[in-house]
């Protein structure tokens, strides 16, 4: 018995090679499982009303000097929750409730560098982000973030490219995300993501669940598109970049949130406040001069020269 206690204490102090931690949304409908394999690969999965929505999907970041996609160990796990109300400066709602439960997992790689993975679960979905710890500067090469889908959902998407989002929307099963259909969606695009989609991408499951993958708090970081692997029904993050480097960041640095909005009807995705809750608070101290207005016309007439 004493020997077992000593081993457990040592595992806590030194970090563990393999672990699983779970979290649920405030209403209990959304469940998250974080796992670290015996190879030190971090992954997560998501369930909704007991059905798996996101199957085991890898996590991680690779920089020019550090690899946070394998060889990791858990240093610390922390659970927290928030329940408060805030007022947006402008928008459809006078007040927004920020009610979530969070999980933070601090990880260390083989060289001793540390990265934190943070999850926040709301009743309308979840967000996940990375925090790179340390000092100085980091050059991010890629993200290893995955979204492994569980079925060939009906999907509403536009072709992944770095030119624009004003493209032809396609409405196909997941397996309809092909190079041929990408060129139908964006016949003149030059910088195409290899068999991928731009965000947001929206899906309808056979059991009437609605899923939208997007991002929040996109600041000082490249936008994310998603490459699609038809064999495993998996979306993988693809960061816009020129050359080999996606982002130059000062440490410590928090990436944008990768978001998954969930609902029982399409309208739930539109009515979700998840992205608003995950965006950074307004930094303008005096917002009294901002007055909501109505505009009728073509949007580019609002441009001033």
């Amino acid at each position: 018995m004493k020997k077992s206690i000593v081993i457990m204490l040592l595992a806590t102090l030194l970090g563990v090679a393999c672990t699983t931690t779970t979290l649920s949304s405030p209403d209990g409908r959304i469940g998250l499982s974080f796992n670290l394999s015996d190879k030190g690969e971090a992954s997560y999965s998501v369930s909704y009303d007991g059905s798996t929505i996101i199957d085991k999907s890898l996590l991680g970041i690779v920089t020019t000097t550090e690899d946070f996609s394998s060889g990791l160990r858990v240093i610390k796990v922390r659970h927290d929750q928030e329940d408060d109300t805030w007022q947006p400066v402008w928008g459809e709602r006078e007040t927004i409730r920020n009610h979530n439960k969070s999980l933070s997992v601090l990880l260390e790689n083989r060289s001793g560098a540390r990265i934190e993975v943070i999850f926040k679960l709301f009743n309308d979905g979840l967000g996940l982000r990375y925090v790179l710890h340390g000092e100085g500067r980091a050059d991010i090469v890629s993200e290893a973030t995955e979204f492994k889908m569980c079925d060939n959902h009906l999907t509403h998407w536009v072709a992944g490219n770095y030119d624009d989002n004003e493209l032809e929307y396609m409405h196909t099963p997941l397996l309809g995300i092909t190079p041929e259909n990408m060129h139908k969606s964006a016949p003149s695009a030059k910088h195409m993501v290899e068999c991928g989609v731009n965000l947001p991408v929206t899906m309808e499951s056979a059991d009437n669940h609605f899923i939208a993958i997007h991002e929040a708090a996109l600041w000082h970081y490249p936008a994310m598109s998603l490459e699609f692997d038809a064999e495993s029904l998996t979306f993988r993050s693809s960061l816009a970049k020129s050359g080999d480097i996606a982002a130059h960041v000062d440490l410590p640095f928090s990436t944008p949130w990768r978001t998954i909005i969930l609902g029982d009807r399409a309208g739930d995705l539109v009515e979700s406040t998840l992205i608003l809750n995950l965006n950074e608070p307004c930094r303008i101290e005096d917002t009294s001069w901002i007055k909501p207005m109505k505009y009728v016309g073509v949007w580019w007439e609002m441009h001033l020269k």
Side-chain angles (χ1 to χ4, degrees):
M1 180 66 179
K2 290 182 179 179
K3 185 177 180 181
S4 298
I5 294 174
V6 171
I7 291 174
M8 290 174 65
L9 288 173
L10 285 173
T12 302
L13 292 172
L14 299 177
V16 294
C18 181
T19 186
T20 298
T21 305
T22 60
L23 182 70
S24 61
S25 59
D27 64 3
R29 295 186 67 188
I30 303 173
L32 175 130
S33 177
F34 171 87
N35 178 262
L36 191 71
S37 72
D38 54 5
K39 295 181 180 179
E41 295 176 333
S43 64
Y44 75 104
S45 59
V46 179
S47 64
Y48 187 45
D49 285 343
S51 299
T52 301
I53 297 294
I54 304 292
D55 210 344
K56 184 178 179 181
S57 301
L58 293 176
L59 298 163
I61 280 183
V62 176
T63 75
T64 53
T65 58
E66 302 292 346
D67 184 355
F68 293 108
S69 63
S70 63
L72 302 171
R73 65 178 186 134
V74 174
I75 300 299
K76 184 178 181 181
V77 175
R78 184 178 73 252
H79 287 81
D80 205 350
Q81 58 184 332
E82 297 174 299
D83 190 359
D84 53 54
T85 303
W86 58 281
Q87 289 185 304
V89 176
W90 176 85
E92 299 173 347
R93 294 174 173 81
E94 184 176 358
T95 60
I96 293 176
R97 186 183 183 186
N98 173 37
H99 189 199
N100 69 78
K101 292 184 177 180
S102 63
L103 168 66
S104 171
V105 184
L106 181 62
L107 301 163
E108 186 176 81
N109 69 3
R110 294 185 180 95
S111 67
R114 294 187 174 186
I115 189 172
E116 192 173 0
V117 185
I118 301 175
F119 301 91
K120 284 192 176 184
L121 266 63
F122 301 80
N123 291 339
D124 52 350
L126 69 142
L128 71 91
R129 80 182 334 174
Y130 305 98
V131 180
L132 292 168
H133 288 255
E135 299 177 345
R137 196 171 179 83
D139 296 328
I140 295 174
V141 176
S142 62
E143 269 192 37
T145 313
E146 292 184 344
F147 306 85
K148 181 177 174 58
M149 313 314 297
C150 298
D151 203 353
N152 188 24
H153 303 314
L154 173 61
T155 307
H156 312 283
W157 58 278
V158 295
N161 77 97
Y162 303 143
D163 288 333
D164 59 65
N165 279 310
E166 295 184 350
L167 306 172
E168 183 74 22
Y169 258 88
M170 307 296 290
H171 310 280
T172 72
L174 273 171
L175 292 176
I177 302 175
T178 62
E180 294 77 16
N181 283 335
M182 285 183 65
H183 285 286
K184 290 180 182 178
S185 173
S188 61
K190 298 178 181 178
H191 304 100
M192 301 286 282
V193 175
E194 184 176 353
C195 194
V197 299
N198 273 359
L199 298 180
V201 56
T202 303
M203 290 159 277
E204 304 175 40
S205 69
D207 54 357
N208 296 317
H209 288 147
F210 290 80
I211 310 157
I213 300 175
H214 202 14
E215 57 187 347
L218 181 59
W219 181 252
H220 290 305
Y221 202 76
M224 180 177 73
S225 296
L226 297 172
E227 296 178 2
F228 180 65
D229 178 15
E231 185 174 348
S232 62
L233 294 182
T234 299
F235 289 111
R236 295 189 177 92
S237 62
S238 176
L239 302 178
K241 60 183 177 181
S242 176
D244 297 328
I245 306 301
H248 306 280
V249 301
D250 294 321
L251 301 179
F253 180 79
S254 298
T255 70
W257 293 94
R258 281 62 188 94
T259 65
I260 304 169
I261 304 174
L262 300 170
D264 300 318
R265 58 188 182 89
D268 291 337
L269 306 183
V270 178
E271 296 167 4
S272 168
T273 57
L274 183 143
I275 288 179
L276 294 174
N277 275 318
L278 290 175
N279 281 340
E280 299 298 323
C282 178
R283 298 185 183 183
I284 303 173
E285 294 184 5
D286 179 14
T287 59
S288 61
W289 55 274
I290 300 176
K291 304 294 183 184
M293 300 176 66
K294 291 184 178 180
Y295 175 80
V296 178
V298 182
W299 70 268
W300 55 76
E301 291 178 359
M302 298 176 70
H303 290 192
L304 299 178
K305 296 181 179 180

